[in-house]
């Protein structure tokens, strides 16, 4: 069923009785060419691009809960490609380009809003780093603008611009094409589009084991029985280690909890995405009116989708310092997501030592914005059994070889990326 | 007449204290003890707001924090609070509130036209359209949607009030001061336990104040007052009234918000607006009560349709009649009380409509005695009216198709049963379970040290609540280690047994289509849930996200279970199969200021100042941030002096004469013990075993992954005594790093160490005349023979004990004097005096930076966490025959292969053009606007007074072998391109002769 | 709020501590293979459930300690002074906090 203004009118006139399922609810088959473990945005996007671009339609996406229920639905919805290092910059920019036509491609409005992403800076050293990064963005074909104080004031008029704050703002680096998207809609849009190309989306189907013969995977054991597969892609960020534990592999990944928050809905107050430079705080306003914000990891290994108060307090202190009128707005919900923190802060989209098993993980905080790009290169990698130019550096081997992609330069401290 | 819906007597209000307030510009009167909602109802005002999507008129449905509709913008200016529930606002004199989400007025709202287009605005409609043309989403559609969405308007000025954070430990925390909570608190306190009892109201009592109960022969209200008095008199009890427990976190930690000043026009001097409590109870007794569900019928959102319990609360707590012709509609026994209370308050009760065929006989008899009609087996199918309820249509719940029965009324009191408040229980990590007998979720197995009692546990009879409180308080005290005796029981009179037959949704009159609202604030209708399930969004979580049910500011308190039940019916599965969503903190929305507390604005992070800071300030120095320190960046001599003027002057003074800089911010670690040399040998890449006493050495530390971590000098002060310096930024990380290895890996090394950064003031005296200056004040021989480069000695500087190091960052003959920080300013002044005749001057970090670039010393911008010792030209220092941290990983193939970014010097070949930090180094064939490959970048720049030109350091691919090459430095952000030459990073005195002079 | 028992100072809030990661990884001896060093620096069990980890009582006595904690419930089972010889999960077995007794 095609979605359009016309279909809405037609349905409205017939009491909205004619809408059909956005995706089927099939029983799993005995065997698939490709199984994707994980029905989040990345897994669903992978299935979609496998079917659409590589003609591989005998695909199942296995999801232990409901689709989009992990980090796809737990993030702060920011989309950007403002990276310093070339492999990141080019990959995320590819993803950005996919975002720019995604609603039309999927025939599902993911509300991709290019309202801009603004990183504030407060010291000369931060400005120098912003110039370094902004120039790298330009050289990689990404848009970037360096803003002085007046430029920042135009985008974010209600920040604390007084001198009587610990770290006065002196400028910002902006990526005008960055912005936000409706996170749940991304999962649903990919699910619906993949389903229409023949992909089976199987919810409430938990993978409990991976059956192998030597270094070849035969299929997966699930809560709904064994399902055979020619190839298996794993896209379960947050839980990558648990799945690879099933094949006896340890990954360069730790799972950490990241909290996010939303305030009560209010009329438009913040028109861009803005990050504070002296604390970990980023904020935007959803189309419904809630201010969505987040900050730093709680800092310890965790699989609990819940955070604690010290980080909560610290994040909000950064926010109120940046924008003092926030103090009276009320926080409506606090939740946590489990992040796949890789050892250099960069994702792993890679073949593995097991021949037909592929890993898509280590997304740290950055997975949501990568969703279409991640699915796109992962589908390529599975279809061709080799990495695409865009993910050739995102290997597992890079840690062993020393070819790390460490944006922050903090080394093997996953909770510091 | 004012307050014509106020009862003649009753209510916990003070009728001697009338208060005046305005709503939408009109002035009204209320009494102390009122909420804004009760005062408006007393004045007959029912229309308070417009709904989110359809802009339907909305009134007051509830009496507490579960209210979905009655939200206002409270106060004005910088204190404006959008979306504030009228039902939770304590009235004060002069209160100003305005309705929100309407234009031009509350009564006539243009956007109400959405109501007509509602078939187009079904659940998730926005996912199906607004996609064409492509650019229209951000620029047109979203713009319109954003302005239509949202509710109230936020203040844009800084919040003038402040917020406090407090912490408190206790044995037993009692959440809620209703009958169960009061008994639990007294019971636990009687055992000697330290008790905190928190309640969101000003007055303790909960339902005892809302209801017309009797306990121990007196009115519930009076009984509660006595218990409150008793608790107030116990010194092991802390009463936190006006306090909401909002979150249950790990390890039995609880978050609470106390509304200290929200009931007054503005906080008294020195008082916070609100206070956030972090509570650490050993045991938690959750007596948080229950929330009533509304019946779901057509137009159930009309102003005048209220919860049955809310109607009782307005009568009993505030002495307000919410209407004059009432219908009570229910599926359970509890709402009968509403009919009786209404009747007693003088409100005409037209009928009690019980959806059950066989209501409880004792209740029927009670109605009969009051001549109130009881209609069984029917329920309200739809409500009708304009901006207020005018009549209802009753329909059969038994499938009978008779014509609906019309009854005129201006008030519906509806009850679909009660949901125990399992929020905190769920937040604690536990899973609530469905209980068929009360048709709702009750607490499951505890995961932390908590227990739910009373209505929060699903016990809706007063005597049970009192008894459970008594037992739970005692049990919690016992589990906290107290012994004692149970308090005597309290006995409730005339409490009716609770019974319910679930009715999740009413049939509609003539099976016509009506809007049956589940989530009133977000305008989610039963048909939306039905649609979502048909489209495959049929798990609770998908449903919630697709329809937005439960996502509004009331957090679905009155709608979640109804939505779940309707979904279960649609799926044809029992409710427990469909599950429930996880409850997330906070229980009620909490102002952000609470979480920030005092650490905002200038207090966001501490400011560190050196001992010489005051002097620097007096000199008019310009400061710069470095690791929270304020360091003097340069010293203007006149108002016209620029940064450039200053650092050139200061650099020249150093290179030609003598100058001083405050280096106190460097990290300093005192290390002692017989194994220090071995410890340093493992920490640094270079060798430390043969460092003589009285000598300093420069060292490089790696991280375990082989990348450079930090650099600095370490000096051997004595046989077993060493003194390490780190960079300013890494002072704390280096100490933690050393502690980590010493304690977790090498405890066999006999060393002790601690940070002495703040104990010592460091002053570098640099320049060809530095020796001459120091000889005026230092009591040891400073000749090159006696005190060569890298020498160390203890000495007296005039009368101050000092440590003297002959080390140099500037590349000049230089010394560093360390004195106890208390003598820092004095030492600085004495050195200035000693050099006065020579013309000594201070220099700041900018000149320091200039000289380090001229000397090619790497610093923070080159130690970027990605560079190795090899990249920085420092690999020659490494002694690979010994073990050191990072030794093996630094030899990984990609870290020693081609293409590494290596440190280089850079000179502009275009005279008069300045270089720029952050410019990238690219091949000259590359066009600025094209996607290219950066080969490196500039990390530090300065104008070199010594060379008379702009110079820079940078990191360049394979840079060490490219000296002499020309390349472009580009800054596309500035549309800038400069030709540069790559050179050796040491620009002056490459052999280091000056420092040894 | 995690409440962590420092063996020297008693039970304190998590914000007095800093996290040091998996304590069960064994640091190879000098001369260990690159594979061993790779494993030590990069790969982790990242277990869902009981996890032996390092914390430092940074804003307290500065001791590094070993904590046995559940990464799903955050329950803490044991804390002890850090030691290179501590086998994972060992300790007094005394439960320090976290859940009902």
């Amino acid at each position: 069923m095609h979605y359009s203004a016309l279909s809405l009118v037609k349905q409205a006139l017939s009491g909205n009785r004619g809408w059909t399922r956005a995706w089927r609810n099939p029983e799993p088959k005995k065997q698939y060419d490709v199984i994707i473990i994980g029905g989040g945005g990345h897994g669903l996007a992978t299935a979609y691009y496998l079917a659409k671009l590589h003609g591989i339609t005998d695909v199942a996406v296995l999801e232990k809960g409901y689709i989009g229920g992990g980090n796809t639905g737990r993030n702060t919805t920011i989309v950007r490609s403002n990276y310093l290092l070339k492999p990141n910059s080019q990959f995320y920019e590819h993803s950005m380009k996919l975002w720019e036509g995604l609603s039309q491609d999927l025939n599902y409005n993911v509300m991709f809003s290019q309202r801009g992403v603004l990183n504030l800076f407060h010291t000369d050293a931060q400005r120098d780093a912003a110039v370094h990064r902004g120039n790298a963005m330009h050289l990689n074909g990404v848009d970037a603008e360096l803003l002085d104080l007046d430029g920042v004031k135009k985008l974010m008029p209600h920040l604390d611009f007084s001198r009587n704050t610990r770290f006065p703002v002196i400028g910002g680096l902006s990526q005008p094409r960055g912005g936000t998207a409706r996170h749940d809609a991304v999962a649903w849009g990919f699910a619906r589009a993949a389903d229409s190309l023949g992909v089976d989306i199987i919810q409430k189907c938990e993978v409990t084991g991976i059956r192998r013969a030597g270094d070849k995977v035969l299929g997966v054991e699930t809560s709904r029985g064994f399902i055979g597969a020619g190839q298996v892609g794993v896209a379960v960020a947050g839980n990558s280690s648990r799945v690879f534990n099933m094949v006896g592999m340890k990954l360069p990944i730790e799972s950490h909890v990241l909290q996010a928050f939303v305030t009560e809905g209010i009329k438009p107050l913040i028109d861009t995405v803005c990050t504070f430079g002296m604390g970990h705080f980023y904020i935007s306003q959803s189309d419904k009116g809630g201010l969505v914000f987040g900050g730093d990891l709680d800092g310890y290994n965790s699989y609990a989708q819940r955070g604690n108060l010290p980080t909560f307090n610290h994040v909000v202190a950064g926010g109120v310092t940046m924008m003092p009128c926030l103090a009276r707005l009320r926080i409506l919900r606090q939740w946590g997501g489990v992040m796949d923190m890789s050892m250099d802060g960069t994702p792993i989209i890679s073949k593995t030592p097991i021949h037909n098993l592929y890993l898509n993980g280590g997304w740290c905080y950055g997975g949501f914005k990568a969703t279409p790009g991640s699915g796109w290169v992962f589908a390529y990698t599975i279809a061709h059994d080799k990495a695409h130019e865009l993910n050739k550096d995102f290997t597992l081997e890079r840690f062993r070889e020393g070819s790390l992609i460490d944006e922050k330069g903090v080394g093997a401290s996953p909770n510091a990326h | 007449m004012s307050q014509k819906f106020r009862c003649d007597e009753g209510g916990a209000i003070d009728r001697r204290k009338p208060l005046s307030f305005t709503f939408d510009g009109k002035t009204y009167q209320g009494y102390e003890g009122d909420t804004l909602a009760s005062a408006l109802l007393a004045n007959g005002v029912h229309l308070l707001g417009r709904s989110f999507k359809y802009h339907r008129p909305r009134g007051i449905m509830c009496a507490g924090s579960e209210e979905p509709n009655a939200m206002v913008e409270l106060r004005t200016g910088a204190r404006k609070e959008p979306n504030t529930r009228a039902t939770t606002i304590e009235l004060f004199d002069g209160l100003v509130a305005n309705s929100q989400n309407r234009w031009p007025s509350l009564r006539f709202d243009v956007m109400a036209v959405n109501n007509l287009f509602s078939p187009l605005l079904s659940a998730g409609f926005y996912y199906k359209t607004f996609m064409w043309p492509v650019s229209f989403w951000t620029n047109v559609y979203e713009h319109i949607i954003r302005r239509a969405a949202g509710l109230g308007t936020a203040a844009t000025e800084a919040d003038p009030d402040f917020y406090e954070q407090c912490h408190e430990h206790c044995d037993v925390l009692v959440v809620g001061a209703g009958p169960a909570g009061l008994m639990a608190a007294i019971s636990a306190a009687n055992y000697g336990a330290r008790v905190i009892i928190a309640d969101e109201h000003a007055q303790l009592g909960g339902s005892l104040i809302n209801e017309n109960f009797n306990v121990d022969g007196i009115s519930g209200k009076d009984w509660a007052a006595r218990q409150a008095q008793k608790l107030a008199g116990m010194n092991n009890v802390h009463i936190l009234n006006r306090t909401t427990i909002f979150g249950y976190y790990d390890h039995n930690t609880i978050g609470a918000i106390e509304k200290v000043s929200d009931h007054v026009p503005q906080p008294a001097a020195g008082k916070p607006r609100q206070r956030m409590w972090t509570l650490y109870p050993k045991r938690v007794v959750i007596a948080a009560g229950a929330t009533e569900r509304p019946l779901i019928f057509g137009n159930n959102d009309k102003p005048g349709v209220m919860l049955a319990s809310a109607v009782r609360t307005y009568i009993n707590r505030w002495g307000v009649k919410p209407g004059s012709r009432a219908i009570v509609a229910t599926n359970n026994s509890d709402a009968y009380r509403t009919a009786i209370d209404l009747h007693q308050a003088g409100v005409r009760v037209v009928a009690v409509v019980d959806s059950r065929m066989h209501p409880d006989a004792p209740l029927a008899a009670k109605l009969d005695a009051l001549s109130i009609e009881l209609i069984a087996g029917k329920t309200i199918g739809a409500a009708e009216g304009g901006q207020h309820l005018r009549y209802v249509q009753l329909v059969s719940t038994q499938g009978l198709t008779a014509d609906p029965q019309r009854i005129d009324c201006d008030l519906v009191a509806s009850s679909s049963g009660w949901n125990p408040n399992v929020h905190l229980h769920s937040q604690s990590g536990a899973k609530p379970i469905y209980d068929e007998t009360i048709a709702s979720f009750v607490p499951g197995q505890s995961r932390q040290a908590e227990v739910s009692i009373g209505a929060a546990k699903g016990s809706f009879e007063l005597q049970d609540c009192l008894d459970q409180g008594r037992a739970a308080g005692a049990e919690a005290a016992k589990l906290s280690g107290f012994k004692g005796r149970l308090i005597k029981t309290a006995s409730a009179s005339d409490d009716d047994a609770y019974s319910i037959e679930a009715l999740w949704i009413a049939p509609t009159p003539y099976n016509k289509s009506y809007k049956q609202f589940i989530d009133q604030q977000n305008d989610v209708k039963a048909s939306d849930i039905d649609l979502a399930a048909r489209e495959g969004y049929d798990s609770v979580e998908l449903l919630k996200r697709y329809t937005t049910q439960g996502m509004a500011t009331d957090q679905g308190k009155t709608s979640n279970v109804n939505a779940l039940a309707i979904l279960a019916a649609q799926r044809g599965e029992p409710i427990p199969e469909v599950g429930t969503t996880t409850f997330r903190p906070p229980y009620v929305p909490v102002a952000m200021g609470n979480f920030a507390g005092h650490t905002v604005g200038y207090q966001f992070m501490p400011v560190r100042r050196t001992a010489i800071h005051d002097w620097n300030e007096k000199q008019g120095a310009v400061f710069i941030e470095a690791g929270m320190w304020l360091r003097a960046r340069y010293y203007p001599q006149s108002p016209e002096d620029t940064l450039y003027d200053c650092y050139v002057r200061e650099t020249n003074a150093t290179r030609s004469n003598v100058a001083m800089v405050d280096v106190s911010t460097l990290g300093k670690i005192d290390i002692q013990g017989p194994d220090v040399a071995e410890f340093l040998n493992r920490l640094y890449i270079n060798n430390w075993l043969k460092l003589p006493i009285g000598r300093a050495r420069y060292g490089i530390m790696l991280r375990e992954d082989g990348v450079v971590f930090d650099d600095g000098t370490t000096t051997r002060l004595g046989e077993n005594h060493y003194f390490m310096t780190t960079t300013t930024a890494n002072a704390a990380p280096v100490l933690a790093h050393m502690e980590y290895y010493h304690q977790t890996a090498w405890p066999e090394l006999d060393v002790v160490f601690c940070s002495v950064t703040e104990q010592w003031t460091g002053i570098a005296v640099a320049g060809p005349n530095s020796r001459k200056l120091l000889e005026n004040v230092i009591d040891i021989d400073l000749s090159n023979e006696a005190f060569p480069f890298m020498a160390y000695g203890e000495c007296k500087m005039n009368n101050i004990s000092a440590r003297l190091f002959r080390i140099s960052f500037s590349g000049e003959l230089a010394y560093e004097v360390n004195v106890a920080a208390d003598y820092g300013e004095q030492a600085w002044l004495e050195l200035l005096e000693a050099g006065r005749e020579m013309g000594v001057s201070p220099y700041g970090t900018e000149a320091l930076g200039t000289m380090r670039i001229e000397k090619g010393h790497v610093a923070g911008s080159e130690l970027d966490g990605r560079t190795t010792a090899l990249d920085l030209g420092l690999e020659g220092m490494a002694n690979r025959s010994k073990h050191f941290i990072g030794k093996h990983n630094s030899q990984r193939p990609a870290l020693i292969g081609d293409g590494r970014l290596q440190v280089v010097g850079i000179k502009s070949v275009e005279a008069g053009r300045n270089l720029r930090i952050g410019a990238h180094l690219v091949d000259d064939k590359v066009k600025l606007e094209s996607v290219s490959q950066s080969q490196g970048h500039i990390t530090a720049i300065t104008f070199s007074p010594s060379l008379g030109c702009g110079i820079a350091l940078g990191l360049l691919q394979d840079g060490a072998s490219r000296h002499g090459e020309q390349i472009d430095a580009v800054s596309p952000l500035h549309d800038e391109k400069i030709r540069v030459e790559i050179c050796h990073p040491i620009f002056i005195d490459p052999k280091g002769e000056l420092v040894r002079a | 709020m995690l409440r962590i028992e420092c063996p020297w100072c008693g039970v304190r809030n998590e914000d007095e501590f800093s996290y040091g990661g998996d304590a069960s990884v064994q640091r190879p001896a000098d001369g260990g293979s690159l594979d061993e060093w790779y494993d030590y620096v990069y790969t982790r069990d990242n277990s869902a459930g009981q996890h032996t980890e390092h914390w430092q009582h940074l804003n307290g006595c500065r001791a590094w300690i070993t904590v046995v904690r559940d990464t799903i419930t955050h329950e803490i089972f044991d804390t002890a002074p850090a030691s290179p010889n501590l086998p994972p999960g060992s300790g007094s077995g005394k439960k320090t906090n976290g859940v009902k007794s």
Side-chain angles (χ1 to χ4, degrees), chain A residues 22 104 108-109 113 115 132 139 166 182 265 267 287 306 308 327-331 334 399 401 406-407, chain B residues 82-83 101 127 131 142 152 159 249-250 427 535 537 585 590 592-593 625 633 866 892 894 920 932 972:
Chain A
Q104 293 71 31
Y108 201 101
N109 189 353
S113 165
R115 53 181 70 182
H132 179 203
L139 293 173
R166 183 69 182 83
R182 172 84 182 100
K267 294 293 179 193
D287 289 341
R306 48 186 274 146
N308 276 303
R328 286 188 104 80
L329 296 176
R330 286 182 287 255
I331 290 172
Q334 167 196 21
F399 301 95
E401 292 164 354
D406 188 347
E407 282 277 325
Chain B
N83 308 339
N101 203 34
Y127 300 127
M131 289 180 268
E142 184 180 50
D159 186 347
Y249 296 92
D250 286 331
Q427 287 175 21
E535 291 189 283
Y537 305 91
V590 175
M592 285 174 74
E625 279 284 337
R633 186 177 185 186
R866 292 181 287 267
R892 283 177 291 168
H920 284 249
S932 90

Side-chain angles (χ1 to χ4, degrees), chain B residues 256-403:
Chain B
I257 292 302
E258 181 183 2
K259 291 184 177 178
V260 181
S261 307
D262 282 356
H263 60 293
V264 292
Q266 63 185 63
K271 286 273 186 196
R273 176 186 168 220
Q274 296 178 352
R275 185 180 285 141
M276 176 181 162
W277 289 89
T278 307
L279 304 175
Y280 307 87
K282 291 199 183 107
R283 313 287 312 178
V284 179
V285 177
I286 299 173
T291 303
E292 195 167 32
R293 298 189 293 252
L295 285 169
I296 306 301
F297 52 83
N299 298 331
N300 56 335
D301 63 328
K302 288 273 173 222
V305 178
M306 300 175 72
L307 288 176
S309 60
V311 169
R312 297 200 294 278
T313 301
Y314 284 105
I315 295 169
N316 295 319
R317 186 182 272 264
W318 292 296
V320 170
K321 293 177 273 193
S324 37
R325 262 181 80 85
I327 294 274
V328 176
T330 184
N331 65 355
N332 64 76
S333 58
D334 189 63
Y336 283 71
R337 278 206 284 268
T338 307
I340 295 163
D341 290 355
L342 278 166
H343 179 86
Q344 285 176 355
V347 178
R348 165 97 199 277
V349 181
V350 188
V352 171
V353 183
D354 192 328
S355 60
R356 303 173 295 176
M357 268 317 277
H358 306 289
D360 312 62
L363 293 172
K366 281 190 187 177
L367 295 189
D368 200 39
L370 300 173
S371 306
I372 299 172
E373 186 184 1
L374 173 61
I375 304 173
K378 285 195 175 182
T379 192
I380 297 174
E384 299 291 355
Q387 295 195 337
H388 195 86
L389 173 70
R390 288 212 320 273
Y391 64 92
V392 295
Q393 308 257 30
L394 300 189
V395 292
S396 167
T397 57
Q398 310 302 311
L400 304 176
T401 52
D403 280 353

Side-chain angles (χ1 to χ4, degrees), chain A residues 241-242 250-256 299-304 306 308-310 343 396 399-400 404 412 415, chain C residues 1-2 14-15 19 21-22 35 38 41-49 51 53 55 69 71-74:
Chain A
S241 298
R242 295 170 88 168
K250 288 206 242 179
L251 298 177
I253 286 173
E254 284 184 5
S255 296
H256 283 257
Y300 41 83
N301 282 55
S302 175
Y303 287 95
R306 48 186 274 146
N308 276 303
L309 282 171
M343 285 284 176
L396 256 179
F399 301 95
R400 198 182 295 269
L404 302 156
N415 60 345
Chain C
M1 179 84 77
L2 302 189
E14 67 178 87
D15 42 7
Y19 185 64
D22 190 341
D35 271 358
Y38 161 72
V41 175
Y42 291 107
T43 69
R44 297 290 179 266
D45 284 333
N46 195 21
S47 51
H51 191 247
E53 59 202 22
W55 290 78
R69 186 179 60 92
T71 56
I72 297 173
T73 64
H74 295 165

Side-chain angles (χ1 to χ4, degrees), chain A residues 275-346:
Chain A
T275 70
F276 186 44
M278 294 308 294
H280 221 131
F281 179 82
Y282 36 89
I283 191 164
S284 65
Q285 185 166 18
S286 79
D287 289 341
K288 257 194 87 197
L291 304 183
V292 182
F293 64 94
D296 215 347
L297 295 173
D298 274 33
Y300 41 83
N301 282 55
S302 175
Y303 287 95
Q305 288 173 327
R306 48 186 274 146
N308 276 303
L309 282 171
T311 304
F312 191 168
N313 289 346
H314 188 69
V315 169
V316 177
V320 173
T321 297
M322 181 180 101
M323 190 164 167
C325 70
L326 295 180
R328 286 188 104 80
L329 296 176
R330 286 182 287 255
I331 290 172
L332 182 59
R333 258 190 318 281
Q334 167 196 21
W335 66 96
V338 179
M339 306 292 115
D340 243 25
M341 300 305 296
S342 75
M343 285 284 176
D344 63 355
T346 298

Side-chain angles (χ1 to χ4, degrees), chain B residues 193-210:
Chain B
R194 283 179 309 159
V195 173
I196 296 174
I197 178 167
D199 192 277
E200 56 183 7
H201 292 99
Q203 230 176 322
L204 306 192
S207 66
L208 293 169
I209 301 172
N210 301 341

